[in-house]
Amino acid sequence: MECSLRSSTRVLSLWTLIIGSFNIAGLRPGSSVGAESLDAVNLSAVSGGDATLPCDTRSPQPPDALLLVVWYKNDVPIYSYDGRVKGPSAHWADASLAGRARWHATPHSALRIRDVVPTDRALYRCRVDFKVSPTRNYKFVLHVIELPEKPKIFDESDKEVMGVAGPYIEDTSLKLTCVVSGGKPMPRLRWWRDDKVISKLDPVEDETRLSLLELRIPKLQREYFEAVYTCTADNTALVPPLRVNVQIQLYLRPLLVEILAREQPLSVGQETEMACRAVGARPTAIITWWLDDKQMAVTDPQKISEDRNETISILRWTPRMEHDGRVLMCKATHAKLDHTTLEASMTLNLHYIPIVELQLGSKLNPNDIEEGDDVYFDCVVRANPPAYKVVWEHNGQVMTHNQRAGVIAGSAHLALQGVSREQAGKYICIASNVEGDGRSSAVILQVIYKPVCKNKMTAIVGAAINEAARVACEVDAFPVPKNFQWTLNNTMGTVELDSAKYTVEKSGRSILTYTPSTDVDYGSLACRATNMAGQQIEPCRYTLLPAVKPDPPTNCSTLNLTDDSAELRCLAGYDGGLQTTYFVEAWELDTLIANVSTIMPVWKLQGLGSGKELTLVFYANNARGRSEITTLRVHTLSRLALHTEAQNNVGRIDASWALGIIAGAVGTLAAVAIIALLARKRHRPLQYEAPTQTVKAYKGMHSSNHSPIQPDDKNPDVVPLGKDFNCTRDSERPPEPPPYGAVVSPPVGASRSVHSLHDRSHTPHTPNTPVSDAQSIGTLAEDRRSVTSGTLSRRREVVTTRTPLLANARESCV
Ligand SMILES: *[C@@H]1O[C@H](CO)[C@@H](O)[C@H](O)[C@H]1NC(C)=O
Ligand SMILES: *[C@@H]1O[C@H](CO)[C@@H](O)[C@H](O)[C@H]1NC(C)=O
Ligand SMILES: *[C@@H]1O[C@H](CO)[C@@H](O)[C@H](O)[C@H]1NC(C)=O
Ligand SMILES: *[C@@H]1O[C@H](CO)[C@@H](O)[C@H](O)[C@H]1NC(C)=O
Ligand SMILES: *[C@@H]1O[C@H](CO)[C@@H](O)[C@H](O)[C@H]1NC(C)=O
Ligand SMILES: *[C@@H]1O[C@H](CO)[C@@H](O)[C@H](O)[C@H]1NC(C)=O
C-alpha cells in the first residue's frame, strides 16, 4: 500500500465549517504561573468553540479588595471589570469582541470567549489591581485551531464515494483518495481498516489547504469482500478525529459448482430430483441446467444460504430413454460478470426396463419353414443394469431348455431343432433386470407342413344308389391347401374322381358329392390335399357303403322328468349313411300320448299328464326304413308329492344306473377320503391301520361280483378295456376277423356314421317287453356291412357297466 501527500490545485467549493460547541477541556488557570512571570501560557481553543482565559483575582492578603481587572489583547485593552461597582455597569468590553466575551468570578475567575474565531489568535494579558497589594499580570497565548472539513472519498474516476465503493471485480485494483480541505494547523490523515491504521499522512505546513491520502489495493481478493475502510482527519486532541467510512463492494466469481451426488442411479420414467450447488459467487450465482446443449426448465426457485455464499438449484425431471449416455450439466453463472461460468457435468447412466427385440434368425425365410427345419431366434436385449435373466415364451407358455427335445434356450438365442408344427405360434422373449421385465413384441413362427387328415380313422359313409352323398375331407395343414385329389378304390381298381364332383373351400376343406349308380360304385374313397409343403402322405379314407336303414338310438335316458314333461336323450346309432330322423313315441298302455320326431336324438315331451306310467319307444328312420326300437319305461311325477315321487320314479326307471352312480360316488368319496386321510396322517403311523382296513372292505365289496378284474379305485364303475381282460363268454364266440381300426364320425351332418353295433337279439321288438337296461349294454352286432365290403372287419369292443348292486352281471363281450 502506498500513501502519498500531494498538493492539489483542485478548486474545492468553499465549505462552511460547522462546528458544534466544543468543550475545551484541560484549560485550567495555571496556578504555577506567578504574577510576575511574563512567560506566556499556551492555550488552545477550537474555532467556533469557547475559550476560557483564567485569571486569578484572589488577593494575596485577605482583607485587601479587588479594584480592577483589565484584559489586553496584544497590549490593547479589550475588557475590564471594576470590583467596586455593583451590577452590569462593572463590565466593559471592547466592541471588537462583539459581545462574545464575559468575565466570570466564579467558580474560578476567568474571561470566557464564545464562538472563537481565528482572529482571536493573539497574546492576552490579564492585569489585576488591588487596593493595597501590588498589581498582578498573567500572559496567555491563545492558539485558535481551525478544524478541517469532513474528509471526502473519491474513486479512480474522481467520483465522490458515498458509503459504498465499487462494485469492483475480483482481482482488479482499487484506489480511493481521501481528501480533506482546510484545517489549521494542517490535519493528520489516516486510513483505517477496522482498528488498524493502514496508512497515514502527517501534517505538512504548506500553502495548499488540501490534504490527500490515497488508499491503494493492487489486487482485490476475496478477503476484501465488503471490507470497511475509514479515513480520519484530525489536527487537535480537543475533538475526536473527523471520519468517513467506505465499504468495498466486490463481485466475486463462483468458486465451485457441483452436482450433489445421488445414492441411486436414475431410472427412466421416474421423476427424480437433482441438486446443484454453487459456492462463492457475489451476487449469488445463477444456476442453469443443461442436457447436452439444451437448457432445461427448472420450476423451483433457487435456494440461497443465510450467508449468501451458497446457491442450490433443484431440478425436478423425468429422464427418458434417449437421455441415457448424454451429459447433464449444471452451470453457475455470475449475474454481472461474463466468462465466469463454472460447470459441473455428469454423464447419465440411466437404468431402464430391458428393451427387447426378438428376431427370427436372419438366414431364415419366415414363410418357408418346414417341419424338421432348425429354427433359431435372436433376442436382442438392451438393458441397464444388464438383464439377469431372459425367458422365452411360446404361445404364452414359458419354455424350458430341453436339449433332448431340441429346445436350446439361451439368454440371447433360442434354437428349435427339427421344428414341429406344434412349435408354430407366437414367440416372445422377456428380459428382466431390477427395473422390471421387458417383453419383446411377438414373432409368429409359421411352420408349413403337409396336410394330415383331421380324422385319423376311416369313416363310413352310407350312400344309396342314385342318391347324392356328401363326403367332407378335412385336413390339418399349413398353409391351407388349395388342391385336393379324390380317388375311389373298388373292385375295378383305383380311379381318380373328376374335379367337378368336389369343391375346395377356402378353409381348406373339400366336399365330394358322390352319387353311386351301381353296386360297383361302392368302395374306398381317399382324399389327398396338397399345399406348399407338398402332398398329403396318408390320405383321408372313407368307406362308401350302400345306404341302409339306421341303427336304433341307444343309451336312452331322461334328463328331466316332471309331472307333465320329460326331456329325453339317446345316443344315435349308425345312420345308414342317410339323413335320419329320430322318433319317440310315448305309450300309456295301448294309447299313444305323444309322437315326436327330431333331427337329433334329443326330445322334449310335454303334456304327458302327471302320475302316468309310460313306455317310451325310440327309433330312427331314414329313406331306407325304420330302425329297431329301444324302449324305456318312465313314470311321470305325481303332482301332489312331486318331490318324493320324482325321486322314486327316477329310482325305479333307472335303478341300476342311479344306484350304481350313488354307490360309485360313495365309493369314490370313501376312496378320496381315505387317500386324504392317508396323506394327512402319513407322519402318524399309529393311526395308519384303520383307513387301510376300510380300503380292504371297500375292495371286498366289489370283488363279490367275481370279476377277475380289480376295479380301478379311482373309477370303480368302469372296467377299462385291457389285454388282460378275459371275458368269460369269449370262448363262445366265433373267431374274430382281423381288426380294422376304429369307428369314427365325420363331422358332416349328412354323413354321420357313428357305427354302433347293435345286438338285435337283446332288443325286444314290442314296446310291452322293454328291457330297461338295454341302454346300458353295448352288444355285438352282426356285421351287416361286411357283406357289401369285403375289406371291412370289426374290432371287438367291450363295453360294460358294473355296479355293486348288479354284481353278477352285465358283462358283455363284443
Ligand atoms: C508555548 O508555545 C510556543 C510555540 O508554540 C513554545 O515555544 C513555548 O515554549 C510554549 N510555552 C510554554 C510555557 O509551554
Ligand atoms: C464461501 O464458501 C467457500 C467454500 O466453503 C469459502 O471458501 C469462502 O470463503 C466462503 N466465502 C464467504 C464470503 O463466506
Ligand atoms: C385298393 O383296394 C385293394 C383291396 O383292399 C388294395 O389292395 C389296394 O392297395 C387299394 N389300392 C389303393 C390305391 O388304395
Ligand atoms: C325341467 O323341466 C322343467 C319344465 O320344463 C323346467 O322348468 C326345469 O327348469 C327343468 N329342469 C332342468 C334341470 O332342466
Ligand atoms: C308317429 O309319427 C310318424 C310320422 O309322423 C308315423 O310314421 C308313425 O306311424 C307315428 N306313430 C304312431 C304310433 O302313430
Ligand atoms: C351307453 O351305455 C353303455 C352301457 O350302459 C355304457 O357302457 C356307455 O358308456 C354308454 N355310452 C355313453 C356315450 O354314455
Side-chain angles (χ1 to χ4, degrees):
M1 211 172 301
E2 174 192 320
C3 301
S4 69
L5 170 74
R6 282 199 288 161
S7 60
S8 173
T9 53
R10 200 181 295 136
V11 178
L12 297 169
S13 59
L14 283 174
W15 301 322
T16 23
L17 197 64
I18 299 154
I19 295 174
S21 69
F22 292 89
N23 287 322
I24 299 169
L27 291 187
R28 293 286 178 274
S31 52
S32 61
V33 177
E36 309 307 316
S37 167
L38 284 179
D39 285 334
V41 171
N42 289 328
L43 286 179
S44 290
V46 175
S47 170
D50 293 354
T52 301
L53 307 176
C55 183
D56 191 1
T57 56
R58 287 168 297 176
S59 57
Q61 290 139 0
D64 203 354
L66 174 70
L67 290 181
L68 196 63
V69 181
V70 181
W71 280 94
Y72 302 88
K73 178 184 179 186
N74 297 334
D75 287 329
V76 179
I78 52 164
Y79 198 96
S80 69
Y81 170 71
D82 192 342
R84 297 156 298 186
V85 182
K86 298 272 185 265
S89 55
H91 296 269
W92 168 85
D94 186 71
S96 65
L97 282 174
R100 294 184 293 121
R102 182 74 178 172
W103 171 256
H104 292 278
T106 52
H108 305 288
S109 50
L111 180 71
R112 207 164 287 164
I113 305 171
R114 290 184 288 115
D115 297 335
V116 172
V117 292
T119 50
D120 292 336
R121 191 181 289 118
L123 173 68
Y124 292 85
R125 181 162 59 87
C126 170
R127 198 197 77 204
V128 188
D129 297 333
F130 300 95
K131 223 181 217 168
V132 181
S133 307
T135 292
R136 281 201 311 240
N137 281 294
Y138 300 99
K139 280 190 198 163
F140 302 98
V141 176
L142 181 66
H143 300 280
V144 175
I145 293 164
E146 293 171 53
L147 291 178
E149 288 179 36
K150 194 171 176 178
K152 292 194 164 196
I153 293 167
F154 295 86
D155 62 12
E156 294 83 349
S157 53
D158 292 342
K159 244 185 77 193
E160 191 184 345
V161 171
M162 310 291 284
V164 174
Y168 292 91
I169 295 167
E170 191 180 357
D171 293 341
T172 56
S173 65
L174 163 148
K175 188 190 85 177
L176 292 178
T177 310
C178 181
V179 178
V180 178
S181 167
K184 197 169 186 180
M186 289 295 276
R188 172 177 65 165
L189 264 55
R190 283 179 295 180
W191 275 108
W192 302 72
R193 175 159 182 191
D194 303 328
D195 51 0
K196 257 180 65 191
V197 175
I198 306 289
S199 66
K200 190 168 108 175
L201 168 71
D202 288 321
V204 176
E205 292 300 339
D206 61 4
E207 294 311 304
T208 63
R209 286 183 31 86
L210 285 179
S211 308
L212 290 88
L213 180 63
E214 280 181 359
L215 170 69
R216 277 176 184 268
I217 301 171
K219 196 170 179 195
L220 283 167
Q221 281 162 328
R222 227 151 245 286
E223 70 212 60
Y224 294 102
F225 178 74
E226 288 184 346
V228 175
Y229 284 85
T230 307
C231 176
T232 62
D234 61 288
N235 58 357
T236 173
L238 295 179
V239 291
L242 293 162
R243 54 192 299 145
V244 64
N245 291 338
V246 63
Q247 190 183 42
I248 295 174
Q249 201 185 48
L250 204 51
Y251 284 162
L252 298 178
R253 297 182 185 91
L255 278 177
L256 106 160
V257 62
E258 59 183 353
I259 294 175
L260 299 181
R262 283 173 44 98
E263 314 108 51
Q264 296 205 333
L266 302 176
S267 295
V268 167
Q270 269 180 32
E271 194 187 64
T272 183
E273 258 184 29
M274 309 202 60
C276 178
R277 170 173 170 263
V279 172
R282 298 302 159 81
T284 49
I286 296 162
I287 295 176
T288 50
W289 290 87
W290 301 76
L291 192 60
D292 286 349
D293 293 329
K294 262 188 76 185
Q295 189 173 350
M296 302 168 82
V298 177
T299 46
D300 294 21
Q302 298 191 161
K303 287 184 195 125
I304 294 165
S305 67
E306 224 167 88
D307 64 357
R308 307 189 65 78
N309 194 20
E310 189 179 293
T311 314
I312 286 180
S313 168
I314 307 277
L315 171 72
R316 239 179 270 278
W317 168 64
T318 306
R320 291 198 306 268
M321 193 54 232
E322 65 261 30
H323 298 149
D324 188 39
R326 288 169 66 178
V327 174
L328 181 71
M329 197 182 281
C330 160
K331 290 187 186 176
T333 46
H334 194 280
K336 307 285 178 188
L337 305 179
D338 293 337
H339 315 298
T340 54
T341 304
L342 286 187
E343 294 175 353
S345 65
M346 63 182 277
T347 304
L348 292 172
N349 175 22
L350 299 181
H351 278 188
Y352 50 88
I353 294 174
I355 296 169
V356 185
E357 199 190 332
L358 179 61
Q359 293 161 346
L360 190 64
S362 55
K363 288 187 184 131
L364 297 172
N365 175 357
N367 296 318
D368 188 20
I369 294 167
E370 278 189 55
E371 271 195 302
D373 286 355
D374 289 347
V375 175
Y376 57 98
F377 293 92
D378 296 325
C379 186
V380 184
V381 178
R382 266 210 302 153
N384 187 20
Y388 59 81
K389 89 174 174 191
V390 172
V391 168
W392 298 84
E393 265 186 16
H394 172 227
N395 289 339
Q397 297 283 311
V398 173
M399 300 177 73
T400 46
H401 181 87
N402 185 347
Q403 191 125 26
R404 202 179 295 167
V407 177
I408 299 153
S411 62
H413 306 286
L414 170 71
L416 304 173
Q417 291 174 330
V419 74
S420 70
R421 74 190 69 169
E422 290 77 26
Q423 287 172 302
K426 253 174 31 178
Y427 282 83
I428 284 175
C429 71
I430 302 151
S432 310
N433 66 5
V434 288
E435 296 285 317
D437 299 339
R439 297 173 71 88
S440 71
S441 48
V443 168
I444 308 283
L445 176 67
Q446 293 183 335
V447 176
I448 64 176
Y449 55 92
K450 290 176 185 167
V452 175
C453 207
K454 274 191 184 162
N455 253 324
K456 301 274 186 302
M457 294 166 248
T458 303
I460 292 168
V461 180
I465 288 196
N466 290 331
E467 271 176 39
R470 278 159 51 88
V471 186
C473 176
E474 279 189 283
V475 293
D476 179 18
F478 188 86
V480 165
K482 296 219 168 58
N483 295 313
F484 282 82
Q485 187 195 39
W486 286 87
T487 53
L488 176 69
N489 185 9
N490 60 9
T491 48
M492 309 289 287
T494 303
V495 287
E496 190 172 333
L497 297 178
D498 182 12
S499 65
K501 288 189 169 148
Y502 55 88
T503 59
V504 176
E505 295 177 1
K506 280 216 177 81
S507 60
R509 189 166 83 147
S510 176
I511 293 177
L512 172 72
T513 309
Y514 186 71
T515 313
S517 47
T518 64
D519 280 353
V520 180
D521 293 336
Y522 292 95
S524 262
L525 283 170
C527 150
R528 274 179 211 267
T530 306
N531 69 357
M532 232 166 88
Q535 197 188 32
Q536 186 173 347
I537 294 167
E538 195 57 38
C540 302
R541 293 182 194 279
Y542 307 84
T543 303
L544 190 64
L545 296 173
V548 291
K549 60 182 187 177
D551 282 350
T554 56
N555 284 25
C556 296
S557 59
T558 52
L559 292 176
N560 183 4
L561 190 64
T562 70
D563 59 350
D564 196 40
S565 70
E567 282 175 42
L568 305 165
R569 183 165 69 187
C570 300
L571 291 180
Y574 173 55
D575 66 1
L578 294 172
Q579 175 82 51
T580 300
T581 314
Y582 297 90
F583 288 82
V584 61
E585 294 170 3
W587 295 83
E588 186 185 22
L589 296 177
D590 290 338
T591 318
L592 180 65
I593 293 180
N595 184 3
V596 179
S597 66
T598 56
I599 294 168
M600 303 292 287
V602 177
W603 304 264
K604 179 155 189 179
L605 304 183
Q606 274 170 320
L608 296 175
S610 67
K612 286 194 175 158
E613 198 154 327
L614 299 173
T615 304
L616 302 175
V617 177
F618 302 94
Y619 59 88
N621 188 45
N622 71 8
R624 278 302 172 98
R626 252 168 90 155
S627 72
E628 314 294 331
I629 60 168
T630 303
T631 58
L632 177 67
R633 261 199 285 174
V634 300
H635 206 140
T636 55
L637 304 188
S638 148
R639 232 162 230 148
L640 292 174
L642 190 104
H643 189 63
T644 47
E645 275 284 321
Q647 285 182 336
N648 288 344
N649 274 322
V650 169
R652 230 162 47 112
I653 295 155
D654 235 331
S656 60
W657 277 81
L659 286 172
I661 289 163
I662 291 162
V666 168
T668 309
L669 282 174
V672 167
I674 290 155
I675 290 162
L677 264 168
L678 285 175
R680 252 193 19 200
K681 305 204 169 158
R682 189 158 290 160
H683 57 289
R684 291 155 71 180
L686 281 179
Q687 297 183 8
Y688 196 80
E689 200 70 5
T692 314
Q693 282 174 346
T694 312
V695 173
K696 280 179 184 160
Y698 171 76
K699 283 187 173 170
M701 184 174 81
H702 279 273
S703 61
S704 64
N705 63 8
H706 306 303
S707 162
I709 314 139
Q710 284 302 310
D712 182 350
D713 274 359
K714 285 181 186 163
N715 199 358
D717 288 346
V718 178
V719 176
L721 291 171
K723 280 184 184 166
D724 56 347
F725 176 47
N726 296 315
C727 180
T728 46
R729 290 198 275 172
D730 221 12
S731 54
E732 299 166 21
R733 293 267 142 220
E736 290 300 324
Y740 98 108
V743 180
V744 292
S745 62
V748 180
S751 52
R752 291 178 62 83
S753 61
V754 172
H755 195 118
S756 151
L757 305 177
H758 187 71
D759 188 348
R760 280 177 204 157
S761 63
H762 280 63
T763 312
H765 289 250
T766 59
N768 293 339
T769 54
V771 178
S772 64
D773 57 350
Q775 54 186 294
S776 61
I777 303 170
T779 53
L780 173 68
E782 163 206 327
D783 191 351
R784 294 168 296 178
R785 264 73 62 181
S786 60
V787 181
T788 53
S789 169
T791 61
L792 193 64
S793 59
R794 288 285 178 257
R795 195 171 93 177
R796 291 170 44 176
E797 274 183 44
V798 178
V799 186
T800 185
T801 298
R802 273 169 20 142
T803 70
L805 296 180
L806 286 169
N808 296 335
R810 305 299 177 188
E811 288 188 351
S812 306
C813 304
V814 180

